[in-house]
Amino acid sequence: MRYYANQLTNQLRQSLAPFYLVFGEEPFQEANCVLEIKQAAKKQGFDEVIKFSLLPGFDWQELIAQYNSMSLFSARTLIEFDLNQQKPGTQGSQVFKELAAHPNPDVVLILKGAKAGQDIQRSAWFKALDKSGVFIPCYPLTGAHLARWLDDQCKLLKLNLANDAKRSLLSATEGNLLATYQELEKLSLLYKSEPIDQKQVLSGLLNQAKFDIFDLNNALLQGNTKQLVKVMLKLAQDNVEPASIVWTINKEAQTLLSIKQGLQQGQNISQLFKQHSVWKNQQAATSQAIDRLTQVRLEQIIDLLAQFDTAYKRANIVAPYQALAHIALSFCQPVPFDLPYQHTN
């Protein structure tokens, strides 16, 4: 059954489903949904958490064994499975159908993946899990949906933002929910429930070093090597969360790849810009990046980001900012390198 991210809280209050399919292109909503499911499951005794990621050579039998095994001390288990922007393939599809046919009452499975198009939603494995589970699509928010999300966050944080202050904040963060929420948290600490006007919001944005991450967008699109190095160095100095940097780089790569593929299929570039929410002031730089970057290069960047994300979550990356800088520089020119994995004995 389908529930949107803002409906998940009510669903979890009613019951805990055996399967949760969290799919989409918006990482902040995805992360929040997964956290909310984990918290609800923990209250019901699902204390053990096991994580899997779909990487080359993944052993599907390990997932089956963990799903069907009895946990130590009879603890109930939550399994978080990240498809890493991929489809499960023939073997994985069969495994998911088998799990759906025999749900384990002592296990909750959270399956994370990229946008679930009609091809995925019509697949037998997806339908099998969805039949007794919950599907949560996490779409990028724009227009009225984005404004409504901001209103909801203000209510939760008890913030009193003027309408022009809200517009300025959304304009500055360009749909990045994580950056928007971080700014709201800062405003909450500074002003609590006092009225907040546009000037106060803009002042905070100008003084917020973390918003240098938005300079990364322009440097990526322009292929500006010097600016990329400068921005990445600043982000490292400010200890900006690498997940935010991954989100930014991946968003640009995915957008460029989708537009490039659309153009190859004969679609109109203006319509593609509208479809992918490319603002007018970014359309020229986006066009330059599309001409400069090949489809193969963009796919390599996306693959590297997926590898980095998995390794970073497992604390297997020695120098995360250095690795991300190399990936970012791939927008300028080919930069052959291996991710700096942590070697263990």
Side-chain angles (χ1 to χ4, degrees):
M1 183 175 293
R2 179 188 303 229
Y3 284 85
Y4 292 103
N6 60 350
Q7 300 172 320
L8 179 60
T9 301
N10 288 334
Q11 187 281 321
L12 290 169
R13 286 172 180 165
Q14 297 169 11
S15 63
L16 191 63
F19 308 107
Y20 285 89
L21 298 92
V22 186
F23 282 68
E25 305 166 293
E26 208 301 297
F28 180 81
Q29 290 184 90
E30 177 189 286
N32 271 13
C33 288
V34 170
L35 178 60
E36 198 169 350
I37 296 166
K38 286 181 176 179
Q39 290 173 339
K42 187 173 180 63
K43 290 179 180 178
Q44 297 192 33
F46 291 82
D47 295 318
E48 186 177 1
V49 177
I50 299 172
K51 294 185 178 183
F52 291 108
S53 292
L54 183 56
L55 296 172
F58 177 75
D59 185 0
W60 288 97
Q61 292 302 315
E62 187 176 355
L63 173 61
I64 295 174
Q66 289 289 354
Y67 187 84
N68 293 322
S69 67
M70 290 293 291
S71 299
L72 294 174
F73 311 113
S74 298
R76 307 174 88 182
T77 304
L78 183 143
I79 297 177
E80 182 180 340
F81 193 105
D82 191 344
L83 287 172
N84 271 330
Q85 314 290 316
Q86 303 175 69
K87 294 180 181 179
T90 303
Q91 186 179 3
S93 300
Q94 185 59 40
V95 168
F96 286 141
K97 286 190 288 185
E98 290 176 7
L99 299 186
H102 305 286
N104 185 341
D106 292 322
V107 178
V108 169
L109 173 64
I110 301 176
L111 187 61
K112 302 190 301 182
K115 179 181 178 181
Q118 289 301 313
D119 57 331
I120 292 179
Q121 293 184 46
R122 289 174 183 154
S123 63
W125 66 268
F126 190 96
K127 288 182 177 179
L129 292 172
D130 187 36
K131 186 175 181 180
S132 56
V134 171
F135 168 40
I136 310 164
C138 297
Y139 302 120
L141 301 181
T142 59
H145 295 291
L146 180 57
R148 192 175 304 119
W149 174 86
L150 178 59
D151 287 340
D152 290 341
Q153 302 309 309
C154 288
K155 288 179 182 177
L156 287 172
L157 294 170
K158 298 180 180 179
L159 280 169
N160 184 9
L161 264 68
N163 288 332
D164 56 359
K166 291 178 181 178
R167 286 193 295 269
S168 294
L169 177 57
L170 292 179
S171 176
T173 54
E174 297 183 346
N176 185 329
L177 301 191
L178 175 60
T180 308
Y181 186 78
Q182 288 176 337
E183 184 65 11
L184 290 175
E185 284 188 314
K186 188 188 75 173
L187 291 170
S188 177
L189 291 171
L190 291 173
Y191 302 107
K192 301 188 183 301
S193 60
E194 298 174 11
I196 303 170
D197 59 24
Q198 184 184 43
K199 183 178 179 181
Q200 291 166 310
V201 167
L202 290 175
S203 175
L205 289 171
L206 289 172
N207 292 325
Q208 175 57 278
K210 287 186 179 181
F211 279 88
D212 283 345
I213 197 168
F214 296 110
D215 295 329
L216 187 56
N217 291 309
N218 291 331
L220 290 169
L221 292 176
Q222 294 167 5
N224 189 327
T225 303
K226 290 183 179 180
Q227 183 67 6
L228 266 177
V229 172
K230 180 180 178 181
V231 171
M232 290 301 300
L233 180 60
K234 187 69 165 66
L235 295 176
Q237 290 173 343
D238 291 335
N239 291 317
V240 172
E241 175 56 45
S244 299
I245 303 174
V246 170
W247 185 91
T248 300
I249 300 175
N250 188 64
K251 178 176 180 292
E252 292 301 339
Q254 293 280 4
T255 298
L256 292 173
L257 180 60
S258 296
I259 294 176
K260 200 171 188 72
Q261 291 172 336
L263 290 172
Q264 291 171 353
Q265 295 166 6
Q267 297 182 48
N268 180 275
I269 191 165
S270 297
Q271 188 60 36
L272 287 167
F273 281 154
K274 182 177 181 181
Q275 179 183 339
H276 294 282
S277 302
V278 178
W279 292 35
K280 285 186 178 181
N281 62 353
Q282 288 189 319
Q283 290 178 4
T286 300
S287 295
Q288 293 171 7
I290 291 169
D291 293 338
R292 185 179 69 253
L293 296 163
T294 65
Q295 180 170 329
V296 171
R297 179 102 62 85
L298 290 168
E299 289 172 344
Q300 289 172 342
I301 291 171
I302 293 167
D303 182 58
L304 277 171
L305 288 168
Q307 293 178 41
F308 173 91
D309 187 58
T310 299
Y312 180 72
K313 288 175 180 176
R314 294 179 174 179
N316 286 338
I317 291 289
V318 178
Y321 294 104
Q322 180 186 19
L324 287 173
H326 277 84
I327 297 174
L329 286 169
S330 297
F331 276 75
C332 307
Q333 61 189 43
V335 186
F337 78 104
D338 294 321
L339 288 175
Y341 290 111
Q342 175 75 54
H343 297 291
T344 56
N345 296 326

